Tab-separated table of all heavy atoms in Angstrom:
chain	number	residue	atom	x	y	z
A	112	VAL	N	44.545	110.167	72.790
A	112	VAL	CA	45.127	110.600	71.536
A	112	VAL	C	46.621	110.862	71.786
A	112	VAL	O	46.962	111.631	72.661
A	112	VAL	CB	44.434	111.850	70.981
A	112	VAL	CG1	45.095	112.366	69.712
A	112	VAL	CG2	42.939	111.634	70.787
A	114	VAL	N	50.173	112.107	69.953
A	114	VAL	CA	50.794	112.824	68.825
A	114	VAL	C	52.266	112.432	68.733
A	114	VAL	O	52.973	112.552	69.744
A	114	VAL	CB	50.634	114.373	68.994
A	114	VAL	CG1	51.299	115.064	67.805
A	114	VAL	CG2	49.119	114.714	69.124
A	121	ILE	N	49.406	120.929	70.998
A	121	ILE	CA	48.693	121.484	69.830
A	121	ILE	C	47.205	121.485	70.177
A	121	ILE	O	46.646	120.514	70.635
A	121	ILE	CB	48.981	120.690	68.582
A	121	ILE	CG1	48.302	121.384	67.372
A	121	ILE	CG2	48.603	119.187	68.694
A	121	ILE	CD1	48.759	120.786	66.037
A	122	GLU	N	46.525	122.640	69.896
A	122	GLU	CA	45.109	122.758	70.082
A	122	GLU	C	44.370	122.286	68.836
A	122	GLU	O	44.936	122.099	67.752
A	122	GLU	CB	44.755	124.196	70.379
A	122	GLU	CG	45.432	124.768	71.630
A	122	GLU	CD	44.892	124.176	72.910
A	122	GLU	OE1	43.789	123.691	72.909
A	122	GLU	OE2	45.630	124.090	73.872
A	123	ALA	N	43.051	122.076	68.972
A	123	ALA	CA	42.269	121.565	67.846
A	123	ALA	C	42.287	122.508	66.693
A	123	ALA	O	42.419	121.997	65.536
A	123	ALA	CB	40.818	121.353	68.364
A	124	ASP	N	42.210	123.780	66.911
A	124	ASP	CA	42.199	124.692	65.810
A	124	ASP	C	43.538	124.713	65.075
A	124	ASP	O	43.619	124.816	63.826
A	124	ASP	CB	41.860	126.165	66.282
A	124	ASP	CG	41.741	127.165	65.093
A	124	ASP	OD1	40.878	126.958	64.285
A	124	ASP	OD2	42.614	128.086	65.052
A	125	GLN	N	44.638	124.630	65.870
A	125	GLN	CA	45.964	124.529	65.234
A	125	GLN	C	46.088	123.312	64.416
A	125	GLN	O	46.695	123.302	63.339
A	125	GLN	CB	47.040	124.564	66.358
A	125	GLN	CG	47.134	125.874	67.090
A	125	GLN	CD	48.070	125.788	68.299
A	125	GLN	OE1	47.955	124.910	69.158
A	125	GLN	NE2	49.080	126.696	68.278
A	126	TYR	N	45.584	122.186	64.959
A	126	TYR	CA	45.634	120.895	64.235
A	126	TYR	C	44.847	120.994	62.903
A	126	TYR	O	45.409	120.567	61.895
A	126	TYR	CB	45.012	119.844	65.128
A	126	TYR	CG	44.743	118.510	64.429
A	126	TYR	CD1	45.779	117.743	63.903
A	126	TYR	CD2	43.422	118.102	64.264
A	126	TYR	CE1	45.486	116.534	63.307
A	126	TYR	CE2	43.166	116.866	63.632
A	126	TYR	CZ	44.177	116.101	63.176
A	126	TYR	OH	43.912	114.923	62.547
A	127	PHE	N	43.694	121.626	62.882
A	127	PHE	CA	42.929	121.784	61.637
A	127	PHE	C	43.699	122.645	60.684
A	127	PHE	O	43.811	122.354	59.454
A	127	PHE	CB	41.554	122.366	61.950
A	127	PHE	CG	40.760	122.646	60.701
A	127	PHE	CD1	40.083	121.596	60.070
A	127	PHE	CD2	40.749	123.896	60.118
A	127	PHE	CE1	39.298	121.851	58.885
A	127	PHE	CE2	40.006	124.138	58.893
A	127	PHE	CZ	39.297	123.084	58.342
A	128	GLN	N	44.255	123.746	61.137
A	128	GLN	CA	44.971	124.664	60.249
A	128	GLN	C	46.207	124.007	59.679
A	128	GLN	O	46.544	124.226	58.471
A	128	GLN	CB	45.341	125.947	60.946
A	128	GLN	CG	44.214	126.795	61.337
A	128	GLN	CD	43.322	127.232	60.169
A	128	GLN	OE1	43.791	127.422	59.052
A	128	GLN	NE2	41.993	127.359	60.380
A	129	LEU	N	46.887	123.179	60.446
A	129	LEU	CA	48.021	122.404	59.989
A	129	LEU	C	47.648	121.466	58.858
A	129	LEU	O	48.277	121.411	57.816
A	129	LEU	CB	48.685	121.645	61.134
A	129	LEU	CG	49.811	120.673	60.726
A	129	LEU	CD1	50.967	121.416	60.176
A	129	LEU	CD2	50.161	119.849	61.917
A	130	ARG	N	46.565	120.692	59.092
A	130	ARG	CA	46.123	119.773	58.096
A	130	ARG	C	45.604	120.495	56.831
A	130	ARG	O	45.839	120.039	55.737
A	130	ARG	CB	44.991	118.883	58.652
A	130	ARG	CG	45.453	117.851	59.666
A	130	ARG	CD	46.281	116.811	58.982
A	130	ARG	NE	46.582	115.704	59.844
A	130	ARG	CZ	47.799	115.267	60.184
A	130	ARG	NH1	48.857	115.947	59.701
A	130	ARG	NH2	47.974	114.248	60.932
A	131	LYS	N	44.999	121.632	56.988
A	131	LYS	CA	44.522	122.436	55.813
A	131	LYS	C	45.705	122.893	54.979
A	131	LYS	O	45.674	122.786	53.769
A	131	LYS	CB	43.687	123.634	56.298
A	131	LYS	CG	43.124	124.447	55.167
A	131	LYS	CD	42.210	125.517	55.714
A	131	LYS	CE	41.625	126.352	54.554
A	131	LYS	NZ	40.785	127.449	55.033
A	132	HIS	N	46.761	123.361	55.680
A	132	HIS	CA	47.952	123.803	54.886
A	132	HIS	C	48.554	122.604	54.160
A	132	HIS	O	49.004	122.750	53.014
A	132	HIS	CB	48.968	124.401	55.871
A	132	HIS	CG	50.217	124.796	55.246
A	132	HIS	ND1	50.365	125.932	54.432
A	132	HIS	CD2	51.497	124.214	55.316
A	132	HIS	CE1	51.611	125.937	53.983
A	132	HIS	NE2	52.312	124.966	54.540
A	133	GLN	N	48.667	121.451	54.859
A	133	GLN	CA	49.198	120.280	54.185
A	133	GLN	C	48.426	119.843	53.033
A	133	GLN	O	48.936	119.457	51.914
A	133	GLN	CB	49.328	119.158	55.245
A	133	GLN	CG	50.408	119.429	56.312
A	133	GLN	CD	50.305	118.374	57.406
A	133	GLN	OE1	49.262	117.726	57.639
A	133	GLN	NE2	51.373	118.236	58.213
A	159	THR	N	40.126	118.645	53.555
A	159	THR	CA	40.765	118.668	54.907
A	159	THR	C	39.960	117.952	55.952
A	159	THR	O	40.368	117.188	56.766
A	159	THR	CB	41.056	120.138	55.313
A	159	THR	OG1	41.888	120.712	54.303
A	159	THR	CG2	41.773	120.160	56.640
A	160	VAL	N	38.596	118.341	55.951
A	160	VAL	CA	37.704	117.726	56.923
A	160	VAL	C	37.641	116.235	56.729
A	160	VAL	O	37.638	115.469	57.651
A	160	VAL	CB	36.284	118.382	56.807
A	160	VAL	CG1	35.278	117.624	57.646
A	160	VAL	CG2	36.402	119.858	57.194
A	162	ALA	N	39.937	114.290	55.383
A	162	ALA	CA	41.233	113.728	55.835
A	162	ALA	C	41.221	113.542	57.363
A	162	ALA	O	41.640	112.511	57.886
A	162	ALA	CB	42.403	114.572	55.398
A	163	ILE	N	40.796	114.565	58.059
A	163	ILE	CA	40.773	114.514	59.526
A	163	ILE	C	39.829	113.486	60.050
A	163	ILE	O	40.174	112.715	60.949
A	163	ILE	CB	40.446	115.944	60.109
A	163	ILE	CG1	41.601	116.903	59.839
A	163	ILE	CG2	40.144	115.807	61.550
A	163	ILE	CD1	41.284	118.331	60.272
A	164	ARG	N	38.641	113.454	59.489
A	164	ARG	CA	37.640	112.504	59.984
A	164	ARG	C	38.040	111.055	59.729
A	164	ARG	O	37.847	110.190	60.569
A	164	ARG	CB	36.270	112.789	59.404
A	164	ARG	CG	35.739	114.112	59.910
A	164	ARG	CD	34.321	114.381	59.604
A	164	ARG	NE	33.920	115.712	60.165
A	164	ARG	CZ	32.746	116.268	60.040
A	164	ARG	NH1	31.776	115.660	59.338
A	164	ARG	NH2	32.492	117.450	60.598
A	165	PHE	N	38.625	110.843	58.543
A	165	PHE	CA	39.074	109.458	58.321
A	165	PHE	C	40.244	109.099	59.192
A	165	PHE	O	40.393	107.968	59.676
A	165	PHE	CB	39.414	109.236	56.815
A	165	PHE	CG	38.268	108.837	55.973
A	165	PHE	CD1	37.337	109.789	55.565
A	165	PHE	CD2	38.140	107.529	55.623
A	165	PHE	CE1	36.248	109.406	54.798
A	165	PHE	CE2	37.045	107.147	54.806
A	165	PHE	CZ	36.070	108.100	54.405
A	166	GLU	N	41.135	110.073	59.454
A	166	GLU	CA	42.281	109.872	60.287
A	166	GLU	C	41.826	109.450	61.694
A	166	GLU	O	42.423	108.581	62.303
A	166	GLU	CB	43.128	111.152	60.315
A	166	GLU	CG	44.387	110.991	61.169
A	166	GLU	CD	45.251	112.268	61.088
A	166	GLU	OE1	44.662	113.358	61.049
A	166	GLU	OE2	46.486	112.113	61.069
A	167	MET	N	40.748	110.123	62.193
A	167	MET	CA	40.323	109.872	63.530
A	167	MET	C	39.317	108.710	63.668
A	167	MET	O	39.475	107.899	64.600
A	167	MET	CB	39.684	111.145	64.138
A	167	MET	CG	40.716	112.250	64.369
A	167	MET	SD	39.980	113.607	65.293
A	167	MET	CE	41.447	114.532	65.762
A	176	LEU	N	44.457	106.545	69.687
A	176	LEU	CA	44.578	107.169	68.384
A	176	LEU	C	45.954	107.848	68.298
A	176	LEU	O	46.266	108.662	69.150
A	176	LEU	CB	43.466	108.204	68.115
A	176	LEU	CG	43.534	109.035	66.828
A	176	LEU	CD1	43.474	108.193	65.622
A	176	LEU	CD2	42.490	110.119	66.884
A	177	THR	N	46.745	107.485	67.287
A	177	THR	CA	48.077	108.136	67.085
A	177	THR	C	48.014	109.036	65.896
A	177	THR	O	47.652	108.616	64.791
A	177	THR	CB	49.138	107.005	66.892
A	177	THR	OG1	49.137	106.133	68.026
A	177	THR	CG2	50.488	107.703	66.733
A	178	LEU	N	48.350	110.281	66.100
A	178	LEU	CA	48.369	111.293	65.050
A	178	LEU	C	49.785	111.620	64.649
A	178	LEU	O	50.578	111.967	65.448
A	178	LEU	CB	47.662	112.609	65.499
A	178	LEU	CG	46.180	112.504	65.919
A	178	LEU	CD1	45.641	113.874	66.374
A	178	LEU	CD2	45.355	112.028	64.727
A	179	ASP	N	50.044	111.452	63.320
A	179	ASP	CA	51.309	111.830	62.771
A	179	ASP	C	51.167	113.162	62.072
A	179	ASP	O	50.453	113.303	61.118
A	179	ASP	CB	51.774	110.755	61.783
A	179	ASP	CG	53.164	111.061	61.132
A	179	ASP	OD1	53.783	112.090	61.561
A	179	ASP	OD2	53.579	110.291	60.315
A	180	LEU	N	51.852	114.189	62.602
A	180	LEU	CA	51.667	115.550	62.090
A	180	LEU	C	52.647	115.901	61.019
A	180	LEU	O	52.593	117.034	60.521
A	180	LEU	CB	51.770	116.551	63.274
A	180	LEU	CG	50.817	116.396	64.426
A	180	LEU	CD1	51.003	117.536	65.463
A	180	LEU	CD2	49.410	116.359	63.920
A	184	SER	N	52.169	112.716	56.049
A	184	SER	CA	50.910	111.970	56.546
A	184	SER	C	49.713	112.379	55.780
A	184	SER	O	48.648	111.683	55.865
A	184	SER	CB	50.730	112.164	58.024
A	184	SER	OG	50.546	113.524	58.353
A	185	ILE	N	49.725	113.501	55.043
A	185	ILE	CA	48.585	113.932	54.265
A	185	ILE	C	48.977	113.875	52.798
A	185	ILE	O	49.981	114.415	52.400
A	185	ILE	CB	48.170	115.387	54.591
A	185	ILE	CG1	47.546	115.462	55.966
A	185	ILE	CG2	47.217	115.990	53.591
A	185	ILE	CD1	46.191	114.805	56.106
Side-chain angles (χ1 to χ4, degrees):
V112 177
V114 179
I121 185 169
E122 300 292 333
D124 184 63
Q125 293 174 306
Y126 168 65
F127 177 82
Q128 294 302 326
L129 172 66
R130 287 293 190 238
K131 183 176 179 180
H132 175 74
Q133 291 171 339
T159 303
V160 172
I163 290 174
R164 292 193 179 175
F165 272 79
E166 183 177 36
M167 291 190 167
L176 173 64
T177 302
L178 297 178
D179 182 2
L180 301 185
S184 62
I185 289 292

